[in-house]
Amino acid sequence: MDPTPWRRGRLLLAALATAALGAIGLSAAPAAAQEWRGWNIHAADYPNGIGMDAFTRMVGERTSNRIRMRTFHSAQLGQQDEAIQQMRLGTIDFANFNLSPFNNLAPTTNVVTLPFLFRDVGHMQQAIDGPAGEAIAQDLERIGIIALSWYDAGARSLYTTRPVRTPADLRGMKIRVQTSDLWIDLMRALGANPTPLPFGEVFTSLQSGVIDGAENNWPSYESTRHFEVARYYSTTEHSNVPEVLAVSAQRWRRLNDQERAILRDAARESATIQRRAWAERERVSRERVAAAGVTVIEISDRAPWSALMEPVYAKYAADARLAALVRQIRELR
């Protein structure tokens, strides 16, 4: 009997076994580490920065540093409109954004931007953690952004270079707004002259008289030192727009299910941390500007203000889907 075919069979089996072992070794090998870049408009010690740093730390720990995230705080990678475009292109991997600049891109973000919609912070959180958040996340995904969790941004009020006690006091004043048609129409409805500007230009514009005022929350007013050039803060609390912690859809598509679950869990936990830090920072900021001599004008009756918002609701919540979401939010108890 010729032994050659038998020897050849043995050699072939050995080769196949070696290849199989090699394949097992390759599949068991750790995935290459991913380096992620993140954007944040605020300083690292701001509540949003604290939340984002907690998020990146948890993701690093839970992925054994397979996903290594670095947040570039203080708008190092550009202003918000630029960062949104970079996120959609995939050159920024994750970010914390205010929702107002998405008004022209994701229709449901208009709903949570509507003035005088939320009764208080608790009402806003209930809505954004529920029906409003689900609807907005769907819209954002369509433009290449995956929402993971929601941060607080406080109630926004007016601060100006001269006193504002009623809507009539705003007539003709140049008020900085974010780049959003809704915010422009909101200020027009109040009789003001809306002036879209990047956030980083507000201080010098107030100082030089290019604008007469702006609107934002207590921590933003205090941390940017806008209170030094706009000495009147009127507690209109006209808006309580939440913020989103999100990742680029391009990055998201390259993750497996386990990694996605890690990111979602870490993002939700970071939101709890951010909200707690936000409440404390809001209290401290108000105390600081009051101690600096700012005149705080308490607006106890907001009915004359909200009555002027009917044209805004008619324009931005007329669509059946958006009107239904407004009703759903108002009915939350």
Side-chain angles (χ1 to χ4, degrees):
M1 178 179 178
D2 184 357
T4 302
W6 177 79
R7 289 195 186 98
R8 286 175 181 164
R10 289 283 300 272
L11 288 171
L12 179 59
L13 287 172
L16 290 172
T18 302
L21 288 170
I24 292 169
L26 285 172
S27 64
Q34 303 175 34
E35 303 288 343
W36 288 34
R37 297 195 320 154
W39 180 90
N40 175 26
I41 199 169
H42 302 290
D45 62 352
Y46 199 72
N48 302 52
I50 292 169
M52 289 187 76
D53 286 345
F55 169 66
T56 61
R57 184 173 59 253
M58 287 186 282
V59 170
E61 290 170 354
R62 296 171 189 181
T63 63
S64 301
N65 283 324
R66 291 193 314 277
I67 299 176
R68 292 198 290 258
M69 297 175 153
R70 179 186 175 189
T71 303
F72 291 82
H73 299 287
S74 302
Q76 293 178 63
L77 302 180
Q79 292 300 316
Q80 182 155 267
D81 289 346
E82 299 167 325
I84 289 170
Q85 292 306 315
Q86 291 184 67
M87 175 83 107
R88 297 178 70 187
L89 292 170
T91 54
I92 286 177
D93 300 302
F94 66 103
N96 161 223
F97 292 125
N98 184 279
L99 290 176
S100 295
F102 289 100
N103 289 165
N104 297 335
L105 298 170
T108 48
T109 62
N110 285 290
V111 171
V112 294
T113 312
L114 287 168
F116 306 102
L117 174 66
F118 299 115
R119 296 185 297 273
D120 50 34
V121 173
H123 182 209
M124 181 276 292
Q125 290 179 352
Q126 185 182 10
I128 200 64
D129 290 339
E134 292 169 7
I136 291 169
Q138 291 174 10
D139 273 5
L140 291 177
E141 186 169 359
R142 293 188 186 101
I143 63 168
I145 292 173
I146 306 297
L148 297 181
S149 69
W150 309 99
Y151 283 5
D152 279 1
R156 298 174 75 97
S157 292
L158 288 163
Y159 51 91
T160 51
T161 55
R162 61 179 187 264
V164 171
R165 293 181 174 85
T166 69
D169 295 330
L170 267 180
R171 194 165 295 124
M173 290 181 72
K174 300 185 295 292
I175 304 297
R176 179 265 174 179
V177 293
Q178 299 175 73
T179 308
S180 159
D181 291 345
L182 187 150
W183 279 97
I184 290 170
D185 288 340
L186 185 160
M187 283 300 157
R188 282 180 179 153
L190 291 174
N193 181 10
T195 308
L197 283 174
F199 188 60
E201 296 178 15
V202 174
F203 185 97
T204 55
S205 297
L206 285 165
Q207 193 174 43
S208 64
V210 170
I211 56 175
D212 303 306
E215 55 79 48
N216 219 312
N217 51 58
W218 286 108
S220 292
Y221 178 56
E222 176 263 327
S223 65
T224 55
R225 308 199 71 81
H226 290 176
F227 68 90
E228 294 179 354
V229 286
R231 303 289 289 169
Y232 299 92
Y233 192 96
S234 304
T235 62
T236 52
E237 296 186 356
H238 51 271
S239 180
N240 201 327
V241 183
E243 302 200 352
V244 64
L245 178 61
V247 300
S248 164
Q250 295 194 37
R251 270 292 189 186
W252 188 254
R253 285 192 288 267
R254 298 199 293 268
L255 300 176
N256 60 40
D257 289 344
Q258 182 183 29
E259 290 166 336
R260 291 178 179 181
I262 288 171
L263 262 68
R264 287 200 184 278
D265 288 345
R268 292 189 186 106
E269 290 175 45
S270 81
T272 300
I273 292 167
Q274 188 272 346
R275 289 175 179 182
R276 192 179 301 125
W278 180 268
E280 175 61 16
R281 179 61 183 271
E282 200 168 45
R283 181 189 67 79
V284 170
S285 293
R286 178 165 183 160
E287 289 178 356
R288 284 176 180 169
V289 299
V294 165
T295 299
V296 178
I297 300 170
E298 297 286 356
I299 308 295
S300 56
D301 182 10
R302 295 182 178 83
W305 300 76
S306 62
L308 298 173
M309 295 299 107
E310 191 173 328
V312 178
Y313 275 74
K315 181 175 179 178
Y316 293 96
D319 175 88
R321 178 185 174 216
L322 302 188
L325 185 56
V326 169
R327 287 194 300 272
Q328 197 172 7
I329 290 170
R330 285 177 166 166
E331 290 168 1
L332 287 173
R333 290 290 184 270

